[in-house]
């Protein structure tokens, strides 16, 4: 055994003892999982846009509607059982009966009204589609509410399935509100008050989160209460340590591992590796097309042709990915699978385009990325650095935190940025178009291209306001084709989430948006 591996074994053992210290496991069915990051808060309104926090939120809370990830990502009932509208301004919604919050208070039309009215006035909720169109709400009976919007929102239900639209107990908020914090935003940072499958037992930020099954859970998408009694979710940033903990049997499941680690784990007895389809996780290269040298279309096209996508998929992602076709990813409304072949590896064409550009002698540029966004991004960056050297582009690789990267992208003229964009499942197509192509909307650095275009300026608002799915899908395709023609980004891969687990773990699933289905997991 190599010294490095010995050190990892010792470190894994010490870390596990530290993370599990003080927990009495008893005879319960306990699942121990590990992740690289747990998020900054448990408050769904303020924190659910982060991957780590969303994973936590979805254990504790439910949303008004869910997504059927096996049937075209259609909206299906959640805490609402039905809804009607004729003009997309006036909505009548029906609240699910028999549901209680974790504080044993009832879920009803009054609780829904409280949440909707709260979203309408909270500054923290201004990015919500509902908040921007909120009008009035009226209780019709105990389980029926009338919603009157200020404008038509055909995609209202699509957007209400996101984690930041999680439903919170009005009683808990009122009990912990203060004069300066009337909706208990501070209290919700490290407490919870949801209706989800698990109830929070403890959370030590950066170390571990412990949840236990909610005995009175209404059943959610699977119509059942969890089969495990407790979930211990450890925070272990080092992927090598998480791999060692899995190999030793100290944890049951983990994800966010590099391809090299996945390859090793696939050969280990007692360990299984599973990839999950239906993800909207996309890897891309961003740049500011208004700033040199990316103001030259030929440079952008040359880079698109210089990248060997098949090699990245085969060698780095080990086949757990496919070429990204565009912003509405494959399997989603408005996707154009044929666009995956719009730019393919063609080094001679790339060289020709560079020689015809304003920057024929080449240039030097930074490529930044946040290593916590994707375990394989270091390898991606190295491969891209090598590919672009063939067309006289010297790439300097820089690791940054996501907040720094998005701030730089928002400001513009930042070089290149490797980004992983996840979207919001059923709303992902609309969300992608809204965040990546609509120049009239703020995106806080998530639309790093700074692209404006007469065609998309008309089509984007029209698409988001169109109720007819077929017409909306066609508009998305037109927008995406236009973006490919102008090489607004580099569309690299559409990823399958990969998890490694003990072979006695069954029925685990990972599906968008940021949901890990621990509530149906069994330990055989």
């Amino acid at each position: 055994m190599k010294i490095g591996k010995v050190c990892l074994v010792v470190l894994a053992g010490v870390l596990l003892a530290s993370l599990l210290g003080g927990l009495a496991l008893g005879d319960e069915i306990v699942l121990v999982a590990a992740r690289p990051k747990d998020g900054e808060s448990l408050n769904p309104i303020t924190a659910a846009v982060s991957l780590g926090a969303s994973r936590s939120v979805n254990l504790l809370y439910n949303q008004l509607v869910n997504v059927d990830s096996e049937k075209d990502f259609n909206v299906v009932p959640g805490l609402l059982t039905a809804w009607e509208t004729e003009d997309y301004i006036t909505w009548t919604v029906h609240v699910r009966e028999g549901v209680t919050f974790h504080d044993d208070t009832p879920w009803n039309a009054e609780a829904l009204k409280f949440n909707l009215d709260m979203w309408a006035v909270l500054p923290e909720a201004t990015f919500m589609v509902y908040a921007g169109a909120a009008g009035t709400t009226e209780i019709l009976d105990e389980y029926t509410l009338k919603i009157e919007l200020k404008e038509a929102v055909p995609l209202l239900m699509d957007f209400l399935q996101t984690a930041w639209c999680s439903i919170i107990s009005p009683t808990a908020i009122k009990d912990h509100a203060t004069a300066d914090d009337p909706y208990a935003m501070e209290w919700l940072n490290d407490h919870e008050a949801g209706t989800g499958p698990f109830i929070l037992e403890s959370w030590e930020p950066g170390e571990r989160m412990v949840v236990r099954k909610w005995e009175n859970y209404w059943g959610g998408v699977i119509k059942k209460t969890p089969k495990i009694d407790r979930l211990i979710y450890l925070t272990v940033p080092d992927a090598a340590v998480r791999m060692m903990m899995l190999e030793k049997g100290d944890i049951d499941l983990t994800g966010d591992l590099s391809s090299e680690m996945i390859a090793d784990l696939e050969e280990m007895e007692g360990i299984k590796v599973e990839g999950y389809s239906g993800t909207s996780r996309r890897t891309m290269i961003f740049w500011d097309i208004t700033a040199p040298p990316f103001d030259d279309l030929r440079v952008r096209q040359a880079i698109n042709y210089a990248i060997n996508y098949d090699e990245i998929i085969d060698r780095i992602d080990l086949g757990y990915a496919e070429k990204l076709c565009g912003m509405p990813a494959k399997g989603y409304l408005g996707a154009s699978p044929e666009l995956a072949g719009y730019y393919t590896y063609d080094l001679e064409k790339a060289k020709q385009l560079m020689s015809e550009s304003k920057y024929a002698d080449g240039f030097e540029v930074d490529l930044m990325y946040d290593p916590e966004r994707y375990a394989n991004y270091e390898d991606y960056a190295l491969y891209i650095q090598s590919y672009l050297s063939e067309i006289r582009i010297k790439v300097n690789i820089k690791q940054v935190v996501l907040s720094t990267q998005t701030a730089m992208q928002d400001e513009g003229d930042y070089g290149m940025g490797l980004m992983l964009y996840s979207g919001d499942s059923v709303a992902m197509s609309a969300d992608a178009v809204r965040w990546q192509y609509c120049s009239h909307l703020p995106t806080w650095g998530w639309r790093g291209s700074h692209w404006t275009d007469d065609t998309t300026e008309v089509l984007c608002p029209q698409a988001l306001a169109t109720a007819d799915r077929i017409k909306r899908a066609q508009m998305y395709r037109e927008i995406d084709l236009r973006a490919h023609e102008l090489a607004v980004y580099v569309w690299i891969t559409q990823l399958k989430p990969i998890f490694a687990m003990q072979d006695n773990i069954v029925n685990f699933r990972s599906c968008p948006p940021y949901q890990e289905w621990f509530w149906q997991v069994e330990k055989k």
Side-chain angles (χ1 to χ4, degrees), residues 422-442:
S422 294
D424 300 307
S425 65
V426 69
M428 194 278 285
S429 296
D431 191 66
V433 169
R434 183 167 62 102
W435 283 73
Q436 302 301 330
Y437 292 150
C438 295
S439 61
H440 66 289
L441 295 173

Side-chain angles (χ1 to χ4, degrees), residues 233-280:
Y233 218 156
L234 307 178
T235 301
V236 183
D238 193 314
V241 174
R242 279 185 277 116
M243 175 183 172
M244 187 61 62
M245 294 171 78
L246 184 69
E247 185 179 351
K248 290 176 61 202
D250 293 333
I251 61 174
D252 296 303
L253 179 148
T254 191
D256 302 285
L257 300 171
S258 70
S259 295
E260 182 180 359
M261 294 174 186
I262 291 296
D264 289 342
L265 288 167
E266 286 180 323
E267 302 300 319
M268 291 183 187
E269 186 176 352
I271 302 292
K272 63 181 179 181
V273 173
E274 295 188 356
Y276 300 90
S277 59
T279 176
S280 58

Side-chain angles (χ1 to χ4, degrees), residues 332-491:
Y332 293 81
L333 182 70
S336 301
E338 69 278 5
L339 289 181
Y342 197 95
Y343 293 105
T344 56
Y345 178 56
D346 190 333
L347 184 56
E348 292 308 310
K349 194 168 187 176
K351 289 180 177 179
Q352 179 183 345
L353 284 163
M354 275 296 290
S355 68
E356 296 170 354
S357 75
K358 295 185 293 183
Y359 308 96
D361 293 332
F363 54 86
E364 188 171 342
V365 65
D366 290 342
L367 173 64
M368 61 180 171
Y369 70 95
D370 179 355
E372 292 190 359
R373 292 290 290 172
Y374 182 42
N376 288 335
Y377 259 172
E378 181 177 359
D379 289 336
Y380 268 51
L382 291 170
Y383 273 57
I384 291 167
Q385 182 183 57
S386 175
Y387 297 146
L388 298 194
S389 69
E390 297 289 334
I391 56 173
R392 299 184 179 181
I393 299 176
K394 181 181 178 181
V395 174
N396 301 314
I397 299 172
K398 293 188 176 182
Q399 292 187 2
V400 297
V401 297
L402 181 62
S403 59
T404 298
Q405 182 170 350
T406 53
M408 291 176 67
Q409 289 172 179
D410 194 41
E411 184 176 345
D413 194 13
Y414 52 86
M416 299 192 299
L418 259 177
M419 288 291 285
L420 184 144
Y421 183 80
S422 294
D424 300 307
S425 65
V426 69
M428 194 278 285
S429 296
D431 191 66
V433 169
R434 183 167 62 102
W435 283 73
Q436 302 301 330
Y437 292 150
C438 295
S439 61
H440 66 289
L441 295 173
T443 63
W444 301 281
W446 286 89
R447 186 179 57 83
S449 66
H450 295 262
W451 177 42
T452 58
D453 179 77
D454 292 342
T455 300
T456 55
E457 284 302 296
V458 174
L459 281 176
C460 280
Q462 284 183 354
L464 296 177
T466 298
D468 187 293
R469 286 172 60 88
I470 295 176
K471 292 180 180 179
R472 191 164 75 247
Q474 182 56 39
M475 292 179 187
Y476 290 159
R477 294 188 186 101
E478 291 180 41
I479 295 168
D480 222 8
L481 176 59
R482 180 65 173 162
H484 277 73
E485 291 171 346
L486 298 178
V488 175
Y489 300 104
V490 178
W491 297 266

Side-chain angles (χ1 to χ4, degrees), residues 176-204:
H176 298 92
T178 66
D180 294 331
D181 186 12
Y183 290 102
M185 291 291 101
E186 286 295 324
W187 181 82
L188 285 167
N189 283 337
D190 51 13
H191 297 81
E192 61 93 3
T195 60
F198 295 95
I199 188 167
L200 183 66
E201 192 169 287
S202 65
W203 180 47
E204 298 172 42

